[in-house]
Each structure stands twice: as C-alpha cells, then as structure tokens.
Amino acid sequence: MSIPSSRFPAQRIGIVGGGQLARMMADAAPSLGLDVTVLDPTPECPASAFATQIVGDFDDLEKLSALARASDVVTLDIEAVSAGCLEALEQSGVRVAPSAKVLATIQDKLEQKRFLQAHDLPTSDFVAVDAGDVPALQGFGIPCVMKARRHGYDGRGVKVVRNEDDAVPMLAVPCLAERLVDIDKELAVMVARSASGEIAAYPVVEAEFDARANILDLIRAPAVVPAPVAARCMEFAIRCVEALDGVGIFGIEFFLDGNGAVLINEISPRPHNSGHYTIEACATSQFAQHLRAVAGLPLGPTTLVQPAASFNLLGEPGASGRPVMQGLEAAGDAPGVAVHLYGKHSVKGFRKMGHVTVIGATLDEATHRANALRGVLKVVGDKA
Ligand code: ADP
C-alpha cells in the first residue's frame, strides 16, 4: 500500500495582494509548514506583519516574476489582478491557483453570468448592455439591476435602475443588466477544491448588508433556511467550483427569492468576507483551507463547531488619520468574542478595518451579543 506524502519542509506560497485576506492566510501558514511572500504596492501592507513583502504593483510583470521565484505556487488576495499577467506567469511554468482562466471568467461579470448559464447553474436573467446601448436596456426592460462588467466590488459598480435616468451613469461603461430579484435572504457557501479534485464545503451562511455602504454587515452561521434550500445551495456551489475547475477556496453568493428559489449572484475566487467566521467557529478556517488547497495538502474538516455571528469593523463615516478603536473594553473579557484588526495605518469612512466574530451556544445568542457589540465598537480616526 502506498502512503500519500506531502512535500516537507515548507512549500512557499506567493500571494498577489497583501490586504486583510492575505494577512489572515499568512497568519494560518506556519502551522501548515508554509512560508508566505506577498506582493503589494503599499509598504507595510496588512499582510507584512506575517509575511515577507515585495513592494510593487499587481500588474508589474517583473515584480510578479520576483514573487513567483520566491514561491512554489502563486495565489490571490484580490481580484483586481491582470489575468493577462497571471497567464504570462503560467506560460513561464509558474503554478497559479486559481488559474488565470478562472480569474478571467470571474473578473468580467458578464462572462461570469454566461458561464453560470452555460452550466445550467441558476442565476437571474441578464443581457449585455454596451456603453451607450440604450436600446439593449429598453429591450430588456426596467426595473433591472445594472452592473459594470469590470472593476466593481462591495456594491460599487452596481445600480438598481427604476427609470432611464437611473441608468445614465452606468451607460458610460460596458455593463450587464439583470432582473431585479425580490430578495428574501442573501446566502453564501465557501467551497474549497484542490488540484486533485478533492472538495470541501462549509455550511450555508446568511448575510445582511449595510445599506449605507452596501458592504457585508452581519454574517450568521448557519443560515436559518429550510433544509432543501440549504441542500440546493450546497449542490450549486460545489457544481460551480467543479465546472470552473477551480483550485483554492471560492465564495458563492446566492439570493433566496420570495418564491423560495435559489439563484447564484456571484462567485469570489478567494477567501471571502462571509467566511471570516470560520476562524473561530469551524474545524478549519477558510484561510488554512485555501492554503491547503493551493499547496496540495489534504483539505481539513469544515464542521461548524459552534454557531457564530460576525460583522465588519468599518471606518466611521468621515473618519481620517490613524485608526482609533472605541469600545474595545466591551469586548475585552467577553467569552467567545474575537476582535480581528487588520493593521491598516489609516482609516477612511467605510474602509474595512477589522471584523468581529462572536460564537455562542445558539445562533440567537451569538447574534444578540454581536448586535450589542456592533453598537459599541467603532473605528474613528485621530484627525476626525
Ligand atoms: P459586488 O460584486 O460589488 O459585491 P454584487 O453583484 O454582489 O456586487 O451586488 C451587490 C448587492 O446588490 C447584492 O449583495 C444585492 O444586495 C444587490 N443586488 C445585486 N444584484 C441584484 C439583483 N439582481 N436583484 C436585486 N438585488 C441585487
């Protein structure tokens, strides 16, 4: 009988982007025997506390090559990386996970929708609307949601269009228009897949959004949905990552509509805000799982050990200067509360500065305590 073996000592992981996701990946690396190097243009980026940093732009091919030389596999903390640059790395023999092809499909929201449709994965109806193409929009019909094909994130580049005037700013760039979904709940599933095809999926979670900034606000794990709804989300999320031939961890976001139908909203080719709770609440964190997947290690168990509620610490509106945390004493001695700060040197309104996860004996208890803390913990700036 042959016993599978893993490469040891350390595999070297290169990450394009050194933000909070890379920081949490790098924090998970040593116990897996992995070393991390990140490429980021900002000196002392958040991940640099746990990783070697190369200072440079994400699409600087020379710096990317330097990252690749320091790494056995290159992965991502952000989506705004040129797929062309990653492809050039792949062609020079570098292992990139997720691949340039996967990234190219996901980066373009229209291509992403076409991919879902081609694989019979449920998603809202849509149409391409090129810049200035009013007839395409009229043919599809209003109301709808217009999305910039590229460079949108955290709700930027997404607009609910209820009349033609609403569409004017979006018509400046290539877009897609999709049906406005009557959303009952927003759900998400994290799925990890390794190059060998091994799959591990986390439980379905539900997300509430901060209407002021359209940024994920409160995540509750597990989602309170009927079992068949959860089963459909799990099935579609796994099929999605398999159809992509994705390697790494992926966040699959869903809408549950008023009729109980499950629709895929979008795919993230990396650890996701809706999976931060896994650090405290699951047997393997999404960050460790991603590293395992890209390094070719066996995947870890995804069991939810305790229900959890997690929320972002966003800069207060108008905040500027160095970040100052208020209300930490409320979290200090509370059991089951984990405050994560991302080590960013300056704060701005709605910038993601950290997150908090509360685990509890029940989901209600975790939610209740998270909501109480949400009202107390604030990130302001020393200049405002
Ligand atoms: P981003 O990539 O910036 O996160 P999303 O495509 O996820 O953008 O859209 C942001 C938010 O806008 C969603 O979480 C949801 O609340 C709302 N939204 C997006 N698409 C639709 C839709 N088709 N119908 C209704 N609401 C939508």
Side-chain angles (χ1 to χ4, degrees):
M1 187 180 95
S2 76
I3 299 174
S5 61
S6 303
R7 187 168 156 179
F8 188 84
Q11 277 246 44
R12 301 164 310 151
I13 310 287
I15 307 177
V16 186
Q20 62 265 19
L21 300 177
R23 178 182 171 99
M24 291 184 272
M25 285 183 221
D27 191 20
S31 59
L32 293 166
L34 305 172
D35 289 335
V36 175
T37 305
V38 299
L39 171 64
D40 195 282
T42 308
E44 296 182 41
C45 66
S48 67
F50 301 101
T52 306
Q53 180 178 4
I54 297 172
V55 178
D57 286 332
F58 308 132
D59 52 5
D60 178 335
L61 208 42
E62 254 176 51
K63 295 289 168 93
L64 278 168
S65 300
L67 180 73
R69 281 194 299 278
S71 316
D72 299 308
V73 58
V74 170
T75 186
L76 311 173
D77 130 305
I78 42 145
E79 277 151 68
V81 179
S82 145
C85 286
L86 290 188
E87 200 183 340
L89 284 190
E90 284 172 348
Q91 278 168 0
S92 66
V94 177
R95 270 172 59 206
V96 180
S99 66
K101 182 162 176 266
V102 167
L103 187 68
T105 304
I106 290 178
Q107 269 176 344
D108 181 337
K109 288 193 174 194
L110 179 62
E111 288 305 320
Q112 200 185 129
K113 292 283 273 188
R114 286 177 173 152
F115 161 84
L116 293 171
Q117 193 178 50
H119 289 88
D120 276 334
L121 288 158
T123 192
S124 59
D125 287 344
F126 64 96
V127 70
V129 180
D130 278 338
D133 192 353
V134 178
L137 182 64
Q138 287 168 333
F140 185 67
I142 292 174
C144 64
V145 178
M146 287 184 76
K147 299 186 177 181
R149 286 179 62 171
R150 292 180 171 277
H151 307 307
Y153 66 97
D154 285 343
R156 278 170 249 198
V158 174
K159 192 156 177 27
V160 175
V161 170
R162 297 192 187 276
N163 54 56
E164 282 195 23
D165 286 347
D166 286 345
V168 171
M170 299 304 292
L171 283 165
V173 292
C175 277
L176 70 150
E178 56 180 62
R179 288 278 166 249
L180 182 62
V181 177
D182 165 26
I183 301 173
D184 181 18
K185 284 192 173 182
E186 299 204 30
L187 306 171
V189 176
M190 300 303 307
V191 176
R193 183 170 176 273
S194 53
S196 65
E198 187 187 359
I199 288 258
Y202 287 84
V204 184
V205 301
E206 61 184 84
E208 282 171 20
F209 284 78
D210 182 328
R212 298 171 306 168
N214 210 356
I215 292 183
L216 200 55
D217 198 21
L218 189 74
I219 284 289
R220 291 169 15 109
V224 182
V225 289
V229 168
R232 282 207 300 281
C233 290
M234 296 292 269
E235 182 209 324
F236 295 145
I238 290 170
R239 267 180 47 203
C240 191
V241 176
E242 283 178 337
L244 273 173
D245 196 17
V247 174
I249 201 157
F250 293 79
I252 319 298
E253 296 177 22
F254 295 90
F255 298 139
L256 175 62
D257 77 8
N259 299 319
V262 165
L263 300 167
I264 297 179
N265 174 31
E266 63 170 357
I267 311 165
S268 289
R270 50 171 173 74
H272 190 253
N273 208 159
S274 68
H276 290 354
Y277 80 95
T278 58
I279 298 175
E280 283 78 23
C282 291
T284 307
S285 84
Q286 64 164 346
F287 301 101
Q289 196 74 291
H290 179 68
L291 293 177
R292 284 167 174 266
V294 302
L297 295 168
L299 300 182
T302 52
T303 326
L304 180 71
V305 180
Q306 274 204 288
S310 155
F311 62 92
N312 285 323
L313 291 171
L314 303 179
E316 286 293 301
S320 72
R322 292 190 65 80
V324 178
M325 273 298 304
Q326 294 180 340
L328 264 184
E329 52 292 343
D333 58 357
V337 175
V339 178
H340 295 258
L341 300 176
Y342 300 152
K344 295 184 182 176
H345 298 294
S346 65
V347 58
K348 280 190 283 201
F350 303 111
R351 189 172 190 199
K352 289 180 185 173
M353 303 303 293
H355 75 269
V356 177
T357 299
V358 181
I359 52 173
T362 63
L363 182 59
D364 277 352
E365 184 207 322
T367 305
H368 181 74
R369 292 174 62 210
N371 278 331
L373 280 174
R374 222 158 33 140
V376 179
L377 290 170
K378 303 244 175 299
V379 191
V380 297
D382 65 0
K383 292 208 181 126

PDB file of all heavy atoms in Angstrom, residues 355-380:
ATOM      1  N   HIS A 355     -12.709  42.874  11.768  1.00  0.00           N
ATOM      2  CA  HIS A 355     -14.017  42.222  11.922  1.00  0.00           C
ATOM      3  C   HIS A 355     -14.083  41.583  13.301  1.00  0.00           C
ATOM      4  O   HIS A 355     -13.055  41.428  13.973  1.00  0.00           O
ATOM      5  CB  HIS A 355     -14.270  41.192  10.815  1.00  0.00           C
ATOM      6  CG  HIS A 355     -13.512  39.911  10.975  1.00  0.00           C
ATOM      7  ND1 HIS A 355     -12.269  39.689  10.427  1.00  0.00           N
ATOM      8  CD2 HIS A 355     -13.813  38.768  11.648  1.00  0.00           C
ATOM      9  CE1 HIS A 355     -11.839  38.484  10.740  1.00  0.00           C
ATOM     10  NE2 HIS A 355     -12.760  37.899  11.497  1.00  0.00           N
ATOM     11  N   VAL A 356     -15.297  41.252  13.686  1.00  0.00           N
ATOM     12  CA  VAL A 356     -15.522  40.630  14.999  1.00  0.00           C
ATOM     13  C   VAL A 356     -16.354  39.381  14.773  1.00  0.00           C
ATOM     14  O   VAL A 356     -17.319  39.405  14.010  1.00  0.00           O
ATOM     15  CB  VAL A 356     -16.299  41.601  15.931  1.00  0.00           C
ATOM     16  CG1 VAL A 356     -16.603  40.934  17.270  1.00  0.00           C
ATOM     17  CG2 VAL A 356     -15.513  42.886  16.133  1.00  0.00           C
ATOM     18  N   THR A 357     -15.968  38.300  15.427  1.00  0.00           N
ATOM     19  CA  THR A 357     -16.798  37.090  15.401  1.00  0.00           C
ATOM     20  C   THR A 357     -17.208  36.754  16.827  1.00  0.00           C
ATOM     21  O   THR A 357     -16.378  36.798  17.741  1.00  0.00           O
ATOM     22  CB  THR A 357     -16.031  35.903  14.773  1.00  0.00           C
ATOM     23  OG1 THR A 357     -15.700  36.248  13.427  1.00  0.00           O
ATOM     24  CG2 THR A 357     -16.872  34.633  14.777  1.00  0.00           C
ATOM     25  N   VAL A 358     -18.481  36.449  16.989  1.00  0.00           N
ATOM     26  CA  VAL A 358     -18.982  36.020  18.298  1.00  0.00           C
ATOM     27  C   VAL A 358     -19.528  34.605  18.124  1.00  0.00           C
ATOM     28  O   VAL A 358     -20.361  34.365  17.240  1.00  0.00           O
ATOM     29  CB  VAL A 358     -20.130  36.937  18.790  1.00  0.00           C
ATOM     30  CG1 VAL A 358     -20.624  36.482  20.158  1.00  0.00           C
ATOM     31  CG2 VAL A 358     -19.666  38.393  18.851  1.00  0.00           C
ATOM     32  N   ILE A 359     -19.018  33.679  18.928  1.00  0.00           N
ATOM     33  CA  ILE A 359     -19.604  32.335  18.897  1.00  0.00           C
ATOM     34  C   ILE A 359     -20.482  32.174  20.133  1.00  0.00           C
ATOM     35  O   ILE A 359     -20.259  32.817  21.159  1.00  0.00           O
ATOM     36  CB  ILE A 359     -18.535  31.215  18.814  1.00  0.00           C
ATOM     37  CG1 ILE A 359     -17.470  31.364  19.900  1.00  0.00           C
ATOM     38  CG2 ILE A 359     -17.885  31.183  17.454  1.00  0.00           C
ATOM     39  CD1 ILE A 359     -16.502  30.199  19.946  1.00  0.00           C
ATOM     40  N   GLY A 360     -21.507  31.345  20.018  1.00  0.00           N
ATOM     41  CA  GLY A 360     -22.430  31.173  21.138  1.00  0.00           C
ATOM     42  C   GLY A 360     -22.997  29.764  21.162  1.00  0.00           C
ATOM     43  O   GLY A 360     -22.812  28.995  20.209  1.00  0.00           O
ATOM     44  N   ALA A 361     -23.700  29.448  22.254  1.00  0.00           N
ATOM     45  CA  ALA A 361     -24.315  28.117  22.372  1.00  0.00           C
ATOM     46  C   ALA A 361     -25.420  27.975  21.325  1.00  0.00           C
ATOM     47  O   ALA A 361     -25.666  26.892  20.805  1.00  0.00           O
ATOM     48  CB  ALA A 361     -24.871  27.923  23.776  1.00  0.00           C
ATOM     49  N   THR A 362     -26.091  29.102  21.023  1.00  0.00           N
ATOM     50  CA  THR A 362     -27.121  29.090  19.980  1.00  0.00           C
ATOM     51  C   THR A 362     -26.858  30.253  19.027  1.00  0.00           C
ATOM     52  O   THR A 362     -26.162  31.213  19.382  1.00  0.00           O
ATOM     53  CB  THR A 362     -28.531  29.290  20.579  1.00  0.00           C
ATOM     54  OG1 THR A 362     -28.560  30.592  21.184  1.00  0.00           O
ATOM     55  CG2 THR A 362     -28.862  28.227  21.619  1.00  0.00           C
ATOM     56  N   LEU A 363     -27.486  30.183  17.846  1.00  0.00           N
ATOM     57  CA  LEU A 363     -27.315  31.259  16.873  1.00  0.00           C
ATOM     58  C   LEU A 363     -27.936  32.554  17.411  1.00  0.00           C
ATOM     59  O   LEU A 363     -27.383  33.637  17.225  1.00  0.00           O
ATOM     60  CB  LEU A 363     -27.962  30.855  15.544  1.00  0.00           C
ATOM     61  CG  LEU A 363     -27.825  31.854  14.411  1.00  0.00           C
ATOM     62  CD1 LEU A 363     -26.354  32.127  14.092  1.00  0.00           C
ATOM     63  CD2 LEU A 363     -28.550  31.347  13.163  1.00  0.00           C
ATOM     64  N   ASP A 364     -29.055  32.429  18.091  1.00  0.00           N
ATOM     65  CA  ASP A 364     -29.705  33.628  18.655  1.00  0.00           C
ATOM     66  C   ASP A 364     -28.794  34.318  19.656  1.00  0.00           C
ATOM     67  O   ASP A 364     -28.686  35.539  19.668  1.00  0.00           O
ATOM     68  CB  ASP A 364     -31.026  33.245  19.348  1.00  0.00           C
ATOM     69  CG  ASP A 364     -32.154  33.133  18.348  1.00  0.00           C
ATOM     70  OD1 ASP A 364     -31.932  33.502  17.177  1.00  0.00           O
ATOM     71  OD2 ASP A 364     -33.240  32.657  18.738  1.00  0.00           O
ATOM     72  N   GLU A 365     -28.153  33.515  20.485  1.00  0.00           N
ATOM     73  CA  GLU A 365     -27.270  34.111  21.495  1.00  0.00           C
ATOM     74  C   GLU A 365     -26.095  34.830  20.804  1.00  0.00           C
ATOM     75  O   GLU A 365     -25.775  35.982  21.122  1.00  0.00           O
ATOM     76  CB  GLU A 365     -26.735  33.019  22.436  1.00  0.00           C
ATOM     77  CG  GLU A 365     -25.893  33.575  23.581  1.00  0.00           C
ATOM     78  CD  GLU A 365     -24.858  32.578  24.086  1.00  0.00           C
ATOM     79  OE1 GLU A 365     -25.145  31.378  24.165  1.00  0.00           O
ATOM     80  OE2 GLU A 365     -23.729  33.048  24.382  1.00  0.00           O
ATOM     81  N   ALA A 366     -25.487  34.160  19.841  1.00  0.00           N
ATOM     82  CA  ALA A 366     -24.350  34.777  19.133  1.00  0.00           C
ATOM     83  C   ALA A 366     -24.798  36.058  18.430  1.00  0.00           C
ATOM     84  O   ALA A 366     -24.110  37.088  18.471  1.00  0.00           O
ATOM     85  CB  ALA A 366     -23.762  33.786  18.132  1.00  0.00           C
ATOM     86  N   THR A 367     -25.985  36.020  17.803  1.00  0.00           N
ATOM     87  CA  THR A 367     -26.482  37.191  17.067  1.00  0.00           C
ATOM     88  C   THR A 367     -26.758  38.346  18.027  1.00  0.00           C
ATOM     89  O   THR A 367     -26.397  39.494  17.764  1.00  0.00           O
ATOM     90  CB  THR A 367     -27.794  36.842  16.331  1.00  0.00           C
ATOM     91  OG1 THR A 367     -27.552  35.704  15.513  1.00  0.00           O
ATOM     92  CG2 THR A 367     -28.275  37.986  15.467  1.00  0.00           C
ATOM     93  N   HIS A 368     -27.395  38.014  19.132  1.00  0.00           N
ATOM     94  CA  HIS A 368     -27.754  39.026  20.116  1.00  0.00           C
ATOM     95  C   HIS A 368     -26.490  39.726  20.648  1.00  0.00           C
ATOM     96  O   HIS A 368     -26.414  40.959  20.715  1.00  0.00           O
ATOM     97  CB  HIS A 368     -28.519  38.328  21.246  1.00  0.00           C
ATOM     98  CG  HIS A 368     -28.974  39.244  22.311  1.00  0.00           C
ATOM     99  ND1 HIS A 368     -30.032  40.113  22.123  1.00  0.00           N
ATOM    100  CD2 HIS A 368     -28.504  39.464  23.571  1.00  0.00           C
ATOM    101  CE1 HIS A 368     -30.188  40.821  23.225  1.00  0.00           C
ATOM    102  NE2 HIS A 368     -29.274  40.449  24.119  1.00  0.00           N
ATOM    103  N   ARG A 369     -25.489  38.927  20.964  1.00  0.00           N
ATOM    104  CA  ARG A 369     -24.257  39.518  21.525  1.00  0.00           C
ATOM    105  C   ARG A 369     -23.493  40.293  20.446  1.00  0.00           C
ATOM    106  O   ARG A 369     -22.905  41.344  20.716  1.00  0.00           O
ATOM    107  CB  ARG A 369     -23.400  38.419  22.138  1.00  0.00           C
ATOM    108  CG  ARG A 369     -24.082  37.822  23.390  1.00  0.00           C
ATOM    109  CD  ARG A 369     -23.312  36.643  23.925  1.00  0.00           C
ATOM    110  NE  ARG A 369     -21.981  37.027  24.334  1.00  0.00           N
ATOM    111  CZ  ARG A 369     -20.933  36.217  24.286  1.00  0.00           C
ATOM    112  NH1 ARG A 369     -21.044  34.992  23.834  1.00  0.00           N
ATOM    113  NH2 ARG A 369     -19.764  36.633  24.703  1.00  0.00           N
ATOM    114  N   ALA A 370     -23.521  39.789  19.231  1.00  0.00           N
ATOM    115  CA  ALA A 370     -22.837  40.512  18.145  1.00  0.00           C
ATOM    116  C   ALA A 370     -23.520  41.863  17.918  1.00  0.00           C
ATOM    117  O   ALA A 370     -22.858  42.891  17.762  1.00  0.00           O
ATOM    118  CB  ALA A 370     -22.840  39.688  16.861  1.00  0.00           C
ATOM    119  N   ASN A 371     -24.846  41.869  17.928  1.00  0.00           N
ATOM    120  CA  ASN A 371     -25.565  43.133  17.701  1.00  0.00           C
ATOM    121  C   ASN A 371     -25.279  44.133  18.818  1.00  0.00           C
ATOM    122  O   ASN A 371     -25.151  45.330  18.566  1.00  0.00           O
ATOM    123  CB  ASN A 371     -27.067  42.877  17.569  1.00  0.00           C
ATOM    124  CG  ASN A 371     -27.416  42.424  16.163  1.00  0.00           C
ATOM    125  OD1 ASN A 371     -26.737  42.791  15.190  1.00  0.00           O
ATOM    126  ND2 ASN A 371     -28.438  41.603  16.028  1.00  0.00           N
ATOM    127  N   ALA A 372     -25.157  43.635  20.055  1.00  0.00           N
ATOM    128  CA  ALA A 372     -24.851  44.538  21.169  1.00  0.00           C
ATOM    129  C   ALA A 372     -23.466  45.160  20.962  1.00  0.00           C
ATOM    130  O   ALA A 372     -23.271  46.371  21.137  1.00  0.00           O
ATOM    131  CB  ALA A 372     -24.923  43.776  22.494  1.00  0.00           C
ATOM    132  N   LEU A 373     -22.506  44.339  20.532  1.00  0.00           N
ATOM    133  CA  LEU A 373     -21.145  44.866  20.326  1.00  0.00           C
ATOM    134  C   LEU A 373     -21.073  45.818  19.140  1.00  0.00           C
ATOM    135  O   LEU A 373     -20.315  46.784  19.131  1.00  0.00           O
ATOM    136  CB  LEU A 373     -20.173  43.707  20.068  1.00  0.00           C
ATOM    137  CG  LEU A 373     -19.689  42.957  21.296  1.00  0.00           C
ATOM    138  CD1 LEU A 373     -18.854  41.765  20.861  1.00  0.00           C
ATOM    139  CD2 LEU A 373     -18.846  43.880  22.184  1.00  0.00           C
ATOM    140  N   ARG A 374     -21.904  45.520  18.139  1.00  0.00           N
ATOM    141  CA  ARG A 374     -21.912  46.337  16.925  1.00  0.00           C
ATOM    142  C   ARG A 374     -22.232  47.794  17.244  1.00  0.00           C
ATOM    143  O   ARG A 374     -21.753  48.706  16.595  1.00  0.00           O
ATOM    144  CB  ARG A 374     -22.954  45.785  15.954  1.00  0.00           C
ATOM    145  CG  ARG A 374     -22.471  45.769  14.569  1.00  0.00           C
ATOM    146  CD  ARG A 374     -23.158  44.838  13.658  1.00  0.00           C
ATOM    147  NE  ARG A 374     -24.554  44.589  13.865  1.00  0.00           N
ATOM    148  CZ  ARG A 374     -25.422  44.479  12.850  1.00  0.00           C
ATOM    149  NH1 ARG A 374     -25.016  44.673  11.621  1.00  0.00           N
ATOM    150  NH2 ARG A 374     -26.660  44.169  13.086  1.00  0.00           N
ATOM    151  N   GLY A 375     -23.069  47.977  18.275  1.00  0.00           N
ATOM    152  CA  GLY A 375     -23.439  49.332  18.636  1.00  0.00           C
ATOM    153  C   GLY A 375     -22.347  50.054  19.422  1.00  0.00           C
ATOM    154  O   GLY A 375     -22.411  51.272  19.605  1.00  0.00           O
ATOM    155  N   VAL A 376     -21.350  49.334  19.889  1.00  0.00           N
ATOM    156  CA  VAL A 376     -20.358  49.909  20.807  1.00  0.00           C
ATOM    157  C   VAL A 376     -18.991  50.078  20.141  1.00  0.00           C
ATOM    158  O   VAL A 376     -18.284  51.059  20.370  1.00  0.00           O
ATOM    159  CB  VAL A 376     -20.214  48.969  22.038  1.00  0.00           C
ATOM    160  CG1 VAL A 376     -19.173  49.511  22.999  1.00  0.00           C
ATOM    161  CG2 VAL A 376     -21.555  48.778  22.731  1.00  0.00           C
ATOM    162  N   LEU A 377     -18.596  49.083  19.338  1.00  0.00           N
ATOM    163  CA  LEU A 377     -17.258  49.119  18.736  1.00  0.00           C
ATOM    164  C   LEU A 377     -17.250  50.060  17.540  1.00  0.00           C
ATOM    165  O   LEU A 377     -18.060  49.903  16.618  1.00  0.00           O
ATOM    166  CB  LEU A 377     -16.854  47.714  18.278  1.00  0.00           C
ATOM    167  CG  LEU A 377     -16.555  46.714  19.395  1.00  0.00           C
ATOM    168  CD1 LEU A 377     -16.401  45.314  18.819  1.00  0.00           C
ATOM    169  CD2 LEU A 377     -15.273  47.104  20.119  1.00  0.00           C
ATOM    170  N   LYS A 378     -16.362  51.035  17.563  1.00  0.00           N
ATOM    171  CA  LYS A 378     -16.298  51.998  16.456  1.00  0.00           C
ATOM    172  C   LYS A 378     -14.831  52.230  16.094  1.00  0.00           C
ATOM    173  O   LYS A 378     -13.959  52.224  16.962  1.00  0.00           O
ATOM    174  CB  LYS A 378     -16.878  53.350  16.887  1.00  0.00           C
ATOM    175  CG  LYS A 378     -18.309  53.324  17.391  1.00  0.00           C
ATOM    176  CD  LYS A 378     -19.218  54.135  16.447  1.00  0.00           C
ATOM    177  CE  LYS A 378     -20.685  54.065  16.797  1.00  0.00           C
ATOM    178  NZ  LYS A 378     -21.298  52.753  16.776  1.00  0.00           N
ATOM    179  N   VAL A 379     -14.579  52.434  14.815  1.00  0.00           N
ATOM    180  CA  VAL A 379     -13.230  52.827  14.394  1.00  0.00           C
ATOM    181  C   VAL A 379     -13.302  54.252  13.884  1.00  0.00           C
ATOM    182  O   VAL A 379     -13.930  54.526  12.855  1.00  0.00           O
ATOM    183  CB  VAL A 379     -12.657  51.915  13.286  1.00  0.00           C
ATOM    184  CG1 VAL A 379     -11.174  52.200  13.095  1.00  0.00           C
ATOM    185  CG2 VAL A 379     -12.886  50.442  13.603  1.00  0.00           C
ATOM    186  N   VAL A 380     -12.692  55.157  14.631  1.00  0.00           N
ATOM    187  CA  VAL A 380     -12.642  56.561  14.221  1.00  0.00           C
ATOM    188  C   VAL A 380     -11.195  56.871  13.841  1.00  0.00           C
ATOM    189  O   VAL A 380     -10.333  55.992  13.879  1.00  0.00           O
ATOM    190  CB  VAL A 380     -13.141  57.492  15.360  1.00  0.00           C
ATOM    191  CG1 VAL A 380     -14.606  57.198  15.679  1.00  0.00           C
ATOM    192  CG2 VAL A 380     -12.289  57.365  16.603  1.00  0.00           C
TER     193      VAL A 380
END
